[in-house]
Amino acid sequence: MTASSLRGSEEPLQSAFDAALVDLDGVAYRGPHAIPTAPPALEAARARGMRVVFVTNNASREPGTVADHLSSLGIPTDESEVMTAAQAAGALMLESVPVGSTVLVVGGAGLRTAVAEAGFVLVDSADDLPDAVVQGFSPDVSWRDLAEASYAVAAGARFFASNKDLTIPNERGTAPGNGSLVNVVVTATGVVPPGAGKPEPAMFRLAAAKAGAERPLVVGDRLDTDLKGARAAGYPGLQVLTGVDGVREAILAPPEHRPSFLGHDLGALALAHPEPVLDGDVWRVGAARVHVVDGRLEVLARDGGADGLDTARAACAAAWHATDAGAPIKVEGVGDVEVPSAHE
């Protein structure tokens, strides 16, 4: 029998790992409200000794503001438990821009504070001939801000981005993210900036260091940022189904986007996770059994297991094994898998 790249844990994840690096949007909250299972799940994890650091690509808010917001939602948080893309951007800039250099900041208060705390001098215009430009998301970024950044980058300023998420989820749906706004400056200048936030591994490593973690676990809802970043950093990742991506996306994920664990929500931290194993040409998890025939997933036996996801786990294992062997799953071939809704 062969093990899958979807891992198993005989003990609850909150015991197997010493820190959770937790995304915000779609994991801890959605829009203005906490995901109902998040506060008790995080309280239980902390009670078992698991440290928590919230890792967000939002660069507009300061860590203290993020902590206050989480606390107001029933998730008591100290600002030392928050790692923002703005802080990661400051660390990234220090690798190539000397302390004391001038920087034009396009973004919110959180980015301005992080850049100043990194030792840079803030300027407000391309006419100041800044040494660098750093861009982060803020709903208040205007055409004038983007034009000012374009003028400075075209004049030779180094260009950095806090993150390159093309979209962001909110209570009304999907909206343009920082990556979309960064692309306006890229279009105007032809200069593509490096990104500091997820899925870059540095942000997760900084968060793990902040937690003093030796066995960190990344928790996120987006495969292309949270889980890709986890793999890039060399950390296991738990995909929860309360946000952007679901089981179908996990089944079809390329290797660099795949989670190590699958759970409905943050309550998955309190559970043991069964490991898929290959038995002949069939992947099984508990009583669930799935195999691949001609690019299609076939469910031979359904079994949700303790949390209802064992069939989904077996389907992921079967699909990934087939894809990695050179026989990728057809998109329409996922239709035989029952995809459960996330519990709330």
Side-chain angles (χ1 to χ4, degrees):
M1 293 186 288
T2 302
S4 166
S5 57
L6 192 68
R7 294 173 53 170
S9 176
E10 294 183 355
E11 57 182 332
L13 298 181
Q14 61 196 24
S15 300
F17 298 95
D18 61 0
L21 312 182
V22 181
D23 180 47
L24 292 178
D25 293 331
V27 178
Y29 56 71
R30 186 166 49 239
H33 305 294
I35 291 170
T37 51
L42 291 169
E43 181 181 5
R46 283 170 162 156
R48 291 294 295 269
M50 188 178 222
R51 297 183 287 280
V52 176
V53 175
F54 295 96
V55 183
T56 175
N57 265 359
N58 188 324
S60 63
R61 298 191 296 170
E62 300 189 41
T65 303
V66 174
D68 289 345
H69 178 211
L70 287 166
S71 297
S72 74
L73 296 178
I75 304 172
T77 305
D78 185 82
E79 66 178 279
S80 65
E81 297 175 307
V82 177
M83 168 60 66
T84 71
Q87 294 171 303
L92 175 65
M93 293 170 65
L94 285 172
E95 295 177 1
S96 57
V97 180
V99 170
S101 297
T102 54
V103 178
L104 173 64
V105 175
V106 177
L111 185 58
R112 294 182 66 86
T113 297
V115 171
E117 289 180 347
F120 298 109
V121 177
L122 276 59
V123 299
D124 297 316
S125 170
D127 293 338
D128 296 315
L129 300 178
D131 299 302
V133 172
V134 61
Q135 185 173 344
F137 178 78
S138 170
D140 299 322
V141 169
S142 67
W143 178 89
R144 293 184 183 279
D145 296 321
L146 299 175
E148 208 66 34
S150 299
Y151 302 146
V153 173
R158 298 286 302 276
F159 187 23
F160 300 88
S162 65
N163 71 289
K164 297 183 181 181
D165 291 355
L166 294 175
T167 62
I168 54 173
N170 62 33
E171 67 276 13
R172 296 181 61 189
T174 300
N178 192 54
S180 296
L181 300 178
V182 166
N183 283 342
V184 174
V185 179
V186 172
T187 299
T189 64
V191 178
V192 179
K198 299 178 286 187
E200 299 303 319
M203 189 168 181
F204 289 106
R205 291 172 182 154
L206 288 168
K210 182 184 281 280
E214 296 180 356
R215 304 182 314 281
L217 173 72
V218 174
V219 186
D221 64 309
R222 295 181 67 135
L223 298 175
D224 63 347
T225 55
D226 304 317
L227 282 306
K228 181 179 180 181
R231 285 203 173 268
Y235 300 153
L238 165 65
Q239 179 195 355
V240 295
L241 306 179
T242 45
V244 173
D245 289 323
V247 171
R248 175 179 291 271
E249 288 77 19
I251 288 170
L252 297 171
E256 66 272 16
H257 290 185
R258 294 172 185 167
S260 301
F261 301 97
L262 189 65
H264 278 295
D265 50 36
L266 282 168
L269 293 173
L271 301 177
H273 287 245
E275 183 175 8
V277 293
L278 181 62
D279 191 356
D281 65 346
V282 175
W283 283 92
R284 60 177 176 82
V285 179
R289 298 167 64 242
V290 180
H291 71 163
V292 175
V293 178
D294 296 329
R296 297 185 64 88
L297 288 169
E298 289 192 0
V299 179
L300 303 176
R302 298 182 186 277
D303 179 34
D307 63 357
L309 288 175
D310 280 1
T311 300
R313 292 184 176 100
C316 284
W320 298 352
H321 183 74
T323 298
D324 293 348
I329 298 297
K330 302 171 185 175
V331 173
E332 62 272 18
V334 183
D336 192 37
V337 178
E338 186 177 274
V339 180
S341 298
H343 294 316
E344 295 187 13

